[in-house]
Amino acid sequence: MAGISPWQLLIVLLIVLLIFGTKKLRNIGGDLGSAIRDFRKGVSDSDKGASDSDKGASDSDKGGDAKPDSTEKFDSSESGSGKPDDSKT
């Protein structure tokens, strides 16, 4: 960017202003700002999720997480609803 003088940059900005207009540029700036804000929020949320999953992995190694019991038997022939049959346990 060393070859661009301030005058050339000013001329380019004036041409962009003439093409799009002030209202459209204001909307583009607002959209760009909200996109950057959402991106930063997503990055910080994913960082928190990564640190939370690291903590969860260490907890599961210690046996802290309880897994759901998959020993329930389903009797679809009698009730047809696919709900657990309590009478056969």
Side-chain angles (χ1 to χ4, degrees):
M1 258 181 101
I4 298 176
S5 70
W7 287 107
Q8 291 171 335
L9 188 60
L10 182 64
I11 291 171
V12 170
L13 290 175
L14 286 174
I15 292 171
V16 169
L17 182 64
L18 289 173
I19 291 173
F20 292 109
T22 58
K23 192 172 188 177
K24 185 71 172 178
L25 285 178
R26 198 174 323 136
N27 290 339
I28 291 172
D31 292 342
L32 184 63
S34 65
I36 291 171
R37 192 176 316 114
D38 290 341
F39 178 76
R40 287 182 180 169
K41 182 180 177 185
V43 168
S44 67
D45 288 346
S46 68
D47 287 345
K48 287 180 183 177
S51 65
D52 290 345
S53 67
D54 290 343
K55 289 178 183 177
S58 64
D59 289 345
S60 65
D61 292 341
K62 296 176 185 176
D65 292 337
K67 294 185 179 181
D69 188 20
S70 61
T71 60
E72 294 182 79
K73 296 181 182 178
F74 291 94
D75 187 13
S76 61
S77 62
E78 291 180 14
S79 62
S81 65
K83 294 182 180 178
D85 186 17
D86 293 333
S87 63
K88 292 188 178 184
T89 56

